[in-house]
Amino acid sequence: MGSLFRSEEMTLCQLFLQSEAAYACVSELGELGLVQFRDLNPDVNAFQRKFVNEVRRCDEMERKLRYLEKEIKKDGIPMLDTGESPEAPQPREMIDLEATFEKLENELREVNQNAEALKRNFLELTELKHILRKTQVFFDEAAPAIHVPNKSRNRYQQMADSNREEERVNLLGEEGIRAGGAGAQGQNLKLGFVAGVILRERLPAFERMLWRACRGNVFLRQAMIESPLEDPANGDKVYKSVFIIFFQGDQLKTRVKKICEGFRATLYPCPEAPTDRREMAMGVMTRIEDLNTVLGQTQDHRHRVLVAAAKNLKNWFVKVRKIKAIYHTLNLFNLDVTQKCLIAECWVPLLDIETIQIALRRGTERSGSSVPPILNRMETFEDPPTYNRTNKFTSAFQALINAYGVASYREMNPAPYTIITFPFLFAVMFGDLGHGAIMALFGLWMVLKEKPLAAKKTDNEIWNIFFGGRYIIFLMGVFSMYTGFVYNDIFSKSLNVFGSTWSINYNTSTVMTNKALQLNPGTNDYSGTPYPIGLDPVWQIAGNKIIFLNAYKMKISIIFGVIHMLFGVFVGLFNHRYFKNKLSIYCEFIPQVIFLVFLFFYMTLMMFIKWTSYSASSDTVRYSAGCAPSILITFINMVLFKPSAPVGECDPFMFAGQSGLQKFLVVVALLCVPWMLLAKPIMIMRSRKEVAHQPMAPYSNENGDAEGGLNQHNAAQPPVNQQGGTGGGHGHENEEMSEIFIHQGIHTIEYVLGSVSHTASYLRLWALSLAHAQLAEVLWNMVLKNGLQQEGWIGGIALWAIFGFWAILTVGILVLMEGLSAFLHTLRLHWVEFQSKFYAGLGYAFQPFSFEVILDASSSSSED
């Protein structure tokens, strides 16, 4: 848990591995996930590295596995997933895996090619079957050649409907001649024909092209094939139509065939004699039955191959990806001059060195090498990566912090404090016992069902965000239930747990008829005993509820904000002390605290003084409710040194000596501004003059980081540059004095103006809390209240329907939309108002070589 408050101590190590043991050792380190390797060959092309051939072999194996996976998913075969992660196979096992994948791929491709050829043959026979069936009807209808003009007259009628007058006149002349010739010659008119199939959507354009290109001297008949046919190339279902085209002469025949070829229509031989057509149809049916049998056997064989592959596919993917990751990592290493030893540099957590050495020895034993690996610690001036150990509970809060910026090395981590402050500030804005219960139950359900829900591994991004933040959602709901209980607000109604401390001294008729009546806390209307916890339920029906809650929630927002910011400043003190940065303590922390306490914390103290000193039941006029001064006006007059005169018996000051104390506080707070602005640059300038005769080298003096923040925490820990005031970043040893003055000026202006704007920013706690309460009240009065006013069985049905509508609006608007709004505002308060007081966030995350991380990333990318 200690590393959650401050990142783990990291050290840079040099690792020497024998070539024959390197693979097994890296495999053990990948299972451990505690080592981040550095690339020692940054200028070497990826295709020129030592293990590039092994990586290519892994890519090829992964390609074959993806092909198998695609075929398995196409057939809807479930893939066995035991949830276990097999160890990375030995390099000699790669040959066996390659042979297995090669055999499976070749066998599956051969089966698919044969199946496609069979399906193509089956499609052709099926189309021929339909042609023989449909054309029989065509021949029966068009048997006498003299009927051609009659059929043509149908075409003339269609052309007349489409207003093609010129073509119609020409064709009428031609067909009239042909008709007359046919009548004279009788049955001697001989027509040729072609038959085929075409995609149904191409048929209208095909028909128009035939008509125009052949000048109407062709006769087309078509009929739809009712059942869809399977495309052997991609398995899609397509709809086709059978057609037959009658024509006369070889010239028209050539023209018709070219048009059919252009529209990708398939032509089939069709005998003229009915007996020949029947004989061919019987042969086609026999061949179709045989093909069905062969296709069924082929599909069964393909299914058996895929089922056998599906049992091992997940494990194969894991093995191949682990092998690939190991060789990618080995490509980061250097070879020594003897070409027998691999040299690596890596960042490791200081506390895990022994665990890493055990893993290295285990890998050496697995490989059969007799030479043990060597792990040497190195000293460096490079900033180490930031590593915060987390678990499933703290990881979500750490992710919120890292979204703003990764902490600088050994900088104070805001995540442990955020575990409490984040859901609490959210609940101040979302305070409703009912809505908080809905959110808490949803979060609790995800927490209790996290194992089966995590095993589903969906690619729905919104669900993954909710599930990843399940503990945050649960805590936000629980804290909202608490604040809702304090506000005494549940779905815009109140809970009368302890009974009201207010009483009504009027009779019922007076109360019901006179709406101008008010309860006076200075009379017997109020018992004088405060409500045990939270707000009295009578405020929920009071006419001045908004006025009362306005003042109450506005003040607690300022109080929480000032305390939150003060806490952030004090967290910065821990940074300065850890990095032994005394200069930042004296020149930044102390004036910052004085400025914030003397102005804004004093304002919060005045709120408590006002609450305790003034009362409606006070016997003294000066301390009555009407004489209570405005905190805002008092604070403005204090900052502007504006005198305040008494009004009648009312004193603008709450206690004796307040005027002098306020002037003293403002003067001291204003003196803190030049203190923050000039003290640190002047001290740095003086320190540089004192050491001007010494060589410029990193050192640690009694002032810690006065020269630039270089100090060595211990003999084993590499020195780390830190910037005073933020606890992270770079030092000032190479900066010009002008840049230091400018930087300090920006830092001072940001803090002084930020103290004002950040304090006002916490008023969002008040604004969103009031908005949430009012939305809930509006939803109750405009929706659910209407259902409660109905009586009888009709009222029951109406209430059922209206309640459903009210519940949908409550969950959709008040829980989801308002919850998201409050979440974003809380996130801003932590990122800007709180973390700006101490958090630099200039580090980079520790990214160890971990099989678990690599496999998770690969599985998510494959699902996408």
Side-chain angles (χ1 to χ4, degrees):
M1 185 68 180
S3 67
L4 190 62
F5 289 93
R6 198 182 296 277
S7 62
E8 289 277 349
E9 288 191 55
M10 307 294 292
T11 182
L12 183 65
C13 293
Q14 195 172 35
L15 179 60
F16 296 88
L17 298 172
Q18 290 296 312
S19 296
E20 62 271 14
Y23 180 94
C25 290
V26 172
S27 174
E28 291 293 335
L29 294 178
E31 299 289 351
L32 198 62
L34 289 173
V35 176
Q36 177 178 330
F37 291 100
R38 302 173 65 187
D39 189 1
L40 300 183
N41 309 294
D43 300 327
V44 179
N45 191 289
F47 300 101
Q48 297 175 345
R49 303 203 176 195
K50 179 175 176 59
F51 300 98
V52 63
N53 291 329
E54 285 78 3
V55 174
R56 286 175 175 172
R57 289 167 62 188
C58 292
D59 286 335
E60 181 63 17
M61 287 192 290
E62 199 170 6
R63 181 196 63 79
K64 293 174 182 177
L65 289 177
R66 285 196 298 268
Y67 171 72
L68 291 174
E69 184 183 34
K70 183 184 73 173
E71 295 297 321
I72 290 171
K73 288 182 177 179
K74 184 187 294 185
D75 280 21
I77 300 173
M79 289 178 283
L80 181 64
D81 188 3
T82 60
E84 299 177 356
S85 179
E87 292 185 352
Q90 295 298 319
R92 58 180 175 272
E93 297 181 32
M94 280 184 65
I95 300 175
D96 297 335
L97 289 175
E98 285 178 313
T100 302
F101 301 158
E102 182 74 19
K103 178 184 175 183
L104 282 172
E105 184 191 28
N106 291 338
E107 185 176 5
L108 193 57
R109 288 191 182 278
E110 183 179 358
V111 170
N112 287 342
Q113 289 173 0
N114 292 337
E116 184 178 348
L118 290 172
K119 287 180 179 179
R120 187 174 289 107
N121 197 359
F122 180 80
L123 175 66
E124 293 173 354
L125 291 173
T126 304
E127 291 176 347
L128 180 57
K129 177 188 72 173
H130 286 290
I131 285 176
L132 294 174
R133 287 181 179 177
K134 303 291 184 183
T135 52
Q136 181 62 41
V137 180
F138 298 157
F139 280 111
D140 292 343
E141 293 178 354
I146 196 65
H147 286 181
V148 173
N150 296 332
K151 299 299 179 183
S152 298
R153 279 194 293 271
N154 294 332
R155 176 64 58 194
Y156 305 150
Q157 185 62 42
Q158 294 175 10
M159 291 177 60
D161 293 340
S162 61
N163 297 323
R164 297 177 180 176
E165 293 296 333
E166 182 177 354
E167 290 188 15
R168 186 176 67 84
V169 172
N170 294 334
L171 291 173
L172 275 170
E174 294 179 6
E175 291 295 337
I177 297 171
R178 293 179 60 214
Q185 298 175 8
Q187 296 294 330
N188 293 331
L189 180 62
K190 185 68 174 177
L191 295 178
F193 68 89
V194 292
V197 296
I198 190 172
L199 288 175
R200 193 174 296 175
E201 61 267 18
R202 295 178 183 170
L203 189 60
F206 176 66
E207 190 172 359
R208 286 194 299 270
M209 179 59 71
L210 275 175
W211 185 262
R212 291 173 180 173
C214 300
R215 298 182 177 274
N217 293 311
V218 296
F219 177 55
L220 171 69
R221 290 297 308 273
Q222 56 89 14
M224 293 187 296
I225 301 176
E226 293 79 8
S227 57
L229 304 177
E230 182 181 352
D231 190 344
N234 50 29
D236 295 340
K237 298 294 183 181
V238 294
Y239 288 88
K240 294 188 176 183
S241 293
V242 172
F243 67 85
I244 185 168
I245 304 172
F246 295 95
F247 52 82
Q248 186 178 21
D250 294 337
Q251 185 176 2
L252 282 179
K253 179 179 182 180
T254 304
R255 192 176 300 176
V256 166
K257 286 187 175 181
K258 285 186 178 294
I259 295 173
C260 292
E261 182 181 352
F263 279 87
R264 297 182 184 177
T266 308
L267 300 180
Y268 290 95
C270 182
E272 294 185 18
T275 55
D276 294 340
R277 286 197 295 272
R278 282 193 294 271
E279 184 178 349
M280 179 179 285
M282 294 175 61
V284 167
M285 294 300 297
T286 304
R287 292 177 61 188
I288 287 177
E289 291 177 1
D290 295 340
L291 271 179
N292 270 328
T293 304
V294 177
L295 269 174
Q297 295 174 350
T298 304
Q299 291 296 335
D300 289 343
H301 177 63
R302 181 177 186 273
H303 187 77
R304 286 193 298 270
V305 172
L306 292 178
V307 167
K311 295 179 180 178
N312 301 309
L313 190 69
K314 294 290 186 181
N315 286 344
W316 285 340
F317 264 121
V318 172
K319 289 180 178 180
V320 171
R321 284 166 179 166
K322 284 188 175 182
I323 298 172
K324 183 179 177 182
I326 291 172
Y327 282 117
H328 264 303
T329 303
L330 290 175
N331 275 332
L332 305 178
F333 295 3
N334 260 342
L335 281 171
D336 70 337
V337 292
T338 63
Q339 302 287 316
K340 294 182 179 179
C341 180
L342 290 171
I343 305 172
E345 290 183 5
C346 54
W347 291 107
V348 298
L350 199 60
L351 296 177
D352 295 318
I353 287 183
E354 186 177 352
T355 306
I356 293 169
Q357 289 175 337
I358 294 173
L360 290 173
R361 285 197 295 269
R362 189 164 56 245
T364 305
E365 293 171 359
R366 280 181 54 195
S367 65
S369 176
S370 58
V371 181
I374 301 172
L375 187 67
N376 291 332
R377 295 176 60 188
M378 304 170 60
E379 291 191 1
T380 179
F381 291 102
E382 183 180 348
D383 291 335
T386 300
Y387 176 43
N388 296 103
R389 295 184 195 270
T390 58
N391 52 35
K392 61 183 180 181
F393 174 72
T394 59
S395 59
F397 293 95
Q398 189 65 55
L400 289 180
I401 302 303
N402 292 342
Y404 175 80
V406 179
S408 302
Y409 178 65
R410 301 295 288 166
E411 183 181 24
M412 286 296 291
N413 183 21
Y417 318 112
T418 305
I419 294 174
I420 299 300
T421 60
F422 192 92
F424 177 73
L425 291 181
F426 171 87
V428 173
M429 293 181 275
F430 197 76
D432 189 293
L433 186 60
H435 302 152
I438 295 173
M439 185 174 290
L441 289 174
F442 177 61
L444 182 62
W445 173 74
M446 289 190 292
V447 169
L448 296 177
K449 299 287 186 180
E450 64 181 11
K451 288 186 178 180
L453 291 175
K456 292 182 179 179
K457 292 184 178 179
T458 177
D459 57 349
N460 189 311
E461 187 175 356
I462 296 178
W463 165 254
N464 289 334
I465 292 174
F466 278 124
F467 183 71
R470 57 193 179 278
Y471 289 98
I472 299 178
I473 293 174
F474 174 68
L475 286 181
M476 291 192 306
V478 171
F479 276 71
S480 297
M481 292 174 66
Y482 165 73
T483 54
F485 184 72
V486 171
Y487 294 158
N488 206 347
D489 191 354
I490 173 170
F491 298 121
S492 79
K493 297 301 173 185
S494 59
L495 295 174
N496 192 0
V497 180
F498 304 103
S500 178
T501 57
W502 293 78
S503 61
I504 300 176
N505 298 321
Y506 304 100
N507 56 39
T508 304
S509 60
T510 303
V511 172
M512 298 302 294
T513 57
N514 193 341
K515 295 185 178 181
L517 294 176
Q518 292 184 348
L519 299 181
N520 187 356
T523 63
N524 294 330
D525 295 340
Y526 179 57
S527 65
T529 303
Y531 199 68
I533 180 171
L535 297 180
D536 194 299
V538 75
W539 286 109
Q540 195 62 243
I541 58 173
N544 60 339
K545 177 181 69 170
I546 296 296
I547 299 175
F548 170 74
L549 291 179
N550 242 349
Y552 169 69
K553 293 184 176 181
M554 182 188 298
K555 288 181 174 63
I556 64 171
S557 299
I558 297 297
I559 293 170
F560 290 149
V562 172
I563 294 175
H564 199 213
M565 291 190 294
L566 266 175
F567 177 64
V569 176
F570 275 95
V571 173
L573 174 63
F574 291 102
N575 276 333
H576 303 325
R577 293 186 60 188
Y578 177 81
F579 297 118
K580 300 178 182 178
N581 193 348
K582 294 182 180 179
L583 185 62
S584 292
I585 295 177
Y586 298 140
C587 300
E588 291 186 349
F589 169 72
I590 294 177
Q592 285 177 355
V593 171
I594 293 175
F595 184 84
L596 199 58
V597 170
F598 279 23
L599 292 182
F600 299 98
F601 189 73
Y602 170 73
M603 181 174 62
T604 64
L605 289 178
M606 285 195 294
M607 296 177 188
F608 286 97
I609 295 172
K610 180 178 178 179
W611 283 338
T612 56
S613 300
Y614 296 87
S615 171
S617 59
S618 175
D619 297 332
T620 307
V621 177
R622 182 173 182 270
Y623 292 105
S624 62
C627 286
S630 168
I631 302 296
L632 181 60
I633 300 300
T634 302
F635 183 75
I636 293 174
N637 292 338
M638 165 187 164
V639 175
L640 298 178
F641 295 98
K642 185 177 180 180
S644 300
V647 179
E649 297 185 20
C650 297
D651 195 334
F653 298 108
M654 302 180 188
F655 55 89
Q658 182 179 354
S659 177
L661 176 63
Q662 290 182 168
K663 292 178 181 178
F664 170 76
L665 295 179
V666 174
V667 170
V668 175
L670 292 177
L671 289 176
C672 290
V673 177
W675 187 355
M676 287 185 284
L677 179 64
L678 302 174
K680 187 173 181 179
I682 291 174
M683 292 295 291
I684 293 176
M685 188 165 54
R686 287 183 57 187
S687 178
R688 287 187 177 183
K689 289 181 180 179
E690 291 175 1
V691 298
H693 62 282
Q694 297 180 3
M696 297 299 292
Y699 71 99
S700 177
N701 55 25
E702 62 180 4
N703 286 332
D705 205 18
E707 176 60 17
L710 285 175
N711 56 79
Q712 196 164 348
H713 308 309
N714 51 61
Q717 178 64 31
V720 180
N721 294 337
Q722 297 297 340
Q723 176 182 338
T726 61
H730 57 81
H732 301 289
E733 67 277 1
N734 296 322
E735 286 189 62
E736 296 287 341
M737 284 307 304
S738 59
E739 294 181 1
I740 294 177
F741 274 100
I742 292 173
H743 171 82
Q744 197 65 23
I746 294 173
H747 182 72
T748 303
I749 294 171
E750 182 183 16
Y751 182 81
V752 173
L753 297 182
S755 297
V756 181
S757 63
H758 291 176
T759 303
S761 183
Y762 279 92
L763 290 174
R764 68 186 70 233
L765 299 174
W766 153 64
L768 265 76
S769 177
L770 283 180
H772 184 84
Q774 288 303 300
L775 277 174
E777 186 173 354
V778 167
L779 198 59
W780 180 282
N781 292 332
M782 297 187 66
V783 180
L784 193 58
K785 187 178 179 181
N786 297 326
L788 296 173
Q789 292 175 348
Q790 303 291 333
E791 296 181 357
W793 63 271
I794 297 178
I797 297 175
L799 180 60
W800 175 80
I802 293 174
F803 176 81
F805 184 60
W806 173 82
I808 292 173
L809 292 179
T810 297
V811 174
I813 297 177
L814 293 179
V815 177
L816 289 178
M817 294 179 62
E818 279 285 309
L820 178 60
S821 175
F823 178 89
L824 294 177
H825 283 284
T826 309
L827 196 62
R828 182 245 154 77
L829 290 177
H830 280 79
W831 279 359
V832 179
E833 279 72 21
F834 174 59
Q835 292 177 196
S836 64
K837 302 297 184 293
F838 68 95
Y839 188 69
L842 300 177
Y844 63 100
F846 176 60
Q847 296 177 332
F849 170 61
S850 171
F851 286 145
E852 183 180 359
V853 174
I854 293 171
L855 293 175
D856 287 344
S858 300
S859 61
S860 61
S861 62
S862 62
E863 289 174 0
D864 294 342

